[in-house]
Amino acid sequence: SQKIEQNSEALNIQEGKTATLTCNYTNYSPAYLQWYRQDPGRGPVFLLLIRENEKEKRKERLKVTFDTTLKQSLFHITASQPADSATYLCALEEGSNYQLIWGAGTKLIIKP
Amino acid sequence: NAGVTQTPKFQVLKTGQSMTLQCAQDMNHNSMYWYRQDPGMGLRLIYYSASEGTTDKGEVPNGYNVSRLNKREFSLRLESAAPSQTSVYFCASNEGLVVKETQYFGPGTRLLVL
């Protein structure tokens, strides 16, 4: 069955540094992958979508890469700020079942 | 524009009780979804409605029923609550008929079943 893995341990980063989060998947070749942000007590909020034919996508301080050979997506936040502290979820489309498959998320903590 | 709204925000039930979680969106979206989120696990799809008048099972439909009341509203019913249904429930929507597009989420309903 399809499986998505995100680092379950919280990632602690010093303010101003680049935070890099990883999303690995197995047993599938998704046409695209999405990243969402989730704050405590709130629903996920969409950040970026990257398609299989796109190696990299950028939005302001955010950058996502998608390596279909490694079956991995990396999510980068440059010049990180304490306000970037949240849990980040990746999700990939699941073929004919019309479902998104979600990772459990990685908690990011940016320390001042 | 309120986006996706959910009621109630919190609920405590006893085993065997029933309840309905309400969801509404004001973005004129065609597709709506119900997920549950448990600690250490990804969001899991319970049911979805690709368009008004249709509903389909997701990954974990057992113990739940849904109703797409109209284009705006999509409710989730627990007929006989069980402790295993303790979770945070999220409703989401998106505009197209393609389920896999960007989804917009509500604030969630936190349910505790004793």
Side-chain angles (χ1 to χ4, degrees), chain B residues 7-59:
Chain B
T7 56
K9 287 185 171 54
F10 303 96
Q11 185 71 47
V12 179
L13 291 178
K14 295 181 179 178
T15 297
Q17 288 185 319
S18 62
M19 79 163 294
T20 299
L21 283 65
Q22 305 287 353
C23 173
Q25 53 88 11
D26 62 2
M27 296 174 282
N28 201 36
H29 285 172
N30 290 297
S31 301
M32 299 184 74
Y33 316 84
W34 277 105
Y35 289 95
R36 59 179 291 173
Q37 186 175 42
D38 299 295
M41 300 183 71
L43 289 163
R44 291 184 292 169
L45 184 64
I46 304 170
Y47 271 93
Y48 68 96
S49 172
S51 62
E52 186 179 357
T54 69
T55 60
D56 284 286
K57 295 179 180 179
E59 179 186 356

Side-chain angles (χ1 to χ4, degrees), chain A residues 32 34 36 38 41 46 98, chain B residues 37 90 99-100 102-103 110:
Chain A
Y32 58 81
Q34 303 183 33
Y36 289 74
Q38 186 173 23
F46 170 77
Y98 296 97
Chain B
Q37 186 175 42
F90 288 101
V99 175
K100 300 169 268 189
T102 303
Q103 297 186 5
R110 283 143 190 84

